[in-house]
Amino acid sequence: MLQEAYAHMSSIAERHTDEIITTAFENWPPLYKEFALARPVASLPLSVDDIEMVLRGNSDRARLKQQAIAIPEIAQHTIELSGGRVFPKIGPVSWKEVPTFSIMETSDAAAMIPAMLASVTSRMAIILEAFVIGRVPTFLHFFPAIDLASHAELRVRVRDGKMVDARWQSVPQGVRPDSSIKERIISTAAELCPLSPSPSLLLDLSVDCSDATSPARLIEINPDISVVPTPLGRLSFS
């Protein structure tokens, strides 16, 4: 990420620290966790000092803060993982730009933690800075990796506890969302919106189109932050 873009995005994130912190899974309201598409199978706690150390490994942040780049040395913790593949997230962000870490085999995950923490991207660093500013710890969560090929996904915009807009993010090939699919998603949104932890929020909801009885589930939540485009192009926190 170019330095001007990093500085621009960082300034926006710093103004929305609380909204960003609320989007980490551990800070979700209880009902949001009940509707979660997936819960962590293992979680590694990270103190504020741990997060600061992780961020020192990002070159864009180091240049902005005029600090030397440091390889994070987080105290090793024992975690137990079993089952299939996992989807890791640190706080509210994943390694979606890094294929090696975006989805991992359970058998490899624990051994890869040092490499993961040394590979936080600039997008991740900008968002995780909120936890350092707010002095709030977080977790390295390992979620079960779920195949969403048969799922329709809808993004719901929430303002002051009310749904004000909704747009399809993805729909399975050959599927046209019928009234049943729409009703299941709207029903879930109606329960979640009044309990929004922020005045402005984005809910990403999903429903399995191959199962007519499955309820809509909450994939993730994001702060609804308006990002002013820079001369470098359109930027986004999502």
Side-chain angles (χ1 to χ4, degrees), residues 1-234:
M1 184 180 290
L2 295 179
Q3 194 62 32
E4 302 96 295
Y6 188 93
H8 172 73
M9 296 288 280
S10 293
S11 68
I12 296 172
E14 287 173 5
R15 297 196 297 270
H16 297 276
T17 296
D18 291 342
E19 294 98 317
I20 291 172
I21 290 171
T22 62
T23 62
F25 181 82
E26 66 271 14
N27 299 324
W28 285 15
L31 186 63
Y32 282 39
K33 292 180 180 179
E34 288 183 26
F35 275 98
L37 178 67
R39 290 172 172 264
V41 295
S43 298
L44 178 67
L46 296 175
S47 68
V48 174
D49 288 341
D50 289 337
I51 301 168
E52 171 70 26
M53 182 60 70
V54 168
L55 296 184
R56 282 180 174 268
N58 180 266
S59 59
D60 283 323
R61 181 182 185 272
R63 283 193 292 269
L64 180 66
K65 294 184 175 292
Q66 298 183 335
Q67 296 174 335
I69 299 173
I71 302 300
E73 297 180 1
I74 307 300
Q76 292 297 304
H77 298 263
T78 300
I79 60 171
E80 295 184 4
L81 291 163
S82 61
R85 299 187 299 170
V86 289
F87 172 65
K89 297 181 78 171
I90 181 170
V93 289
S94 68
W95 282 263
K96 65 181 182 181
E97 309 97 325
V98 187
T100 302
F101 304 137
S102 60
I103 294 181
M104 311 172 67
E105 295 296 334
T106 298
S107 56
D108 299 332
M112 294 295 285
I113 289 176
M116 292 167 61
L117 296 179
S119 304
V120 166
T121 67
S122 294
R123 175 190 61 86
M124 297 171 72
I126 288 168
I127 297 171
L128 291 173
E129 192 75 50
F131 293 83
V132 176
I133 294 171
R135 307 302 296 171
V136 176
T138 190
F139 292 84
L140 170 58
H141 292 298
F142 292 91
F143 293 87
I146 297 176
D147 185 358
L148 297 177
S150 63
H151 289 237
E153 300 177 35
L154 188 77
R155 171 162 285 187
V156 175
R157 178 171 278 106
V158 183
R159 289 283 190 279
D160 298 322
K162 298 179 181 179
M163 181 171 63
V164 296
D165 184 43
R167 297 186 179 184
W168 292 110
Q169 296 292 97
S170 66
V171 176
Q173 186 174 2
V175 173
R176 184 173 182 177
D178 57 20
S179 58
S180 171
I181 292 173
K182 295 176 182 177
E183 286 171 3
R184 280 181 279 167
I185 290 183
I186 296 302
S187 174
T188 296
E191 290 195 56
L192 298 180
C193 287
L195 298 177
S196 173
S198 300
S200 299
L201 193 70
L202 298 173
L203 303 176
D204 287 347
L205 299 170
S206 165
V207 65
D208 187 352
C209 299
S210 67
D211 183 353
T213 64
S214 68
R217 293 294 181 184
L218 181 60
I219 301 174
E220 64 180 6
I221 63 177
N222 287 287
D224 189 10
I225 300 173
S226 297
V227 179
V228 179
T230 72
L232 300 171
R234 185 178 179 86

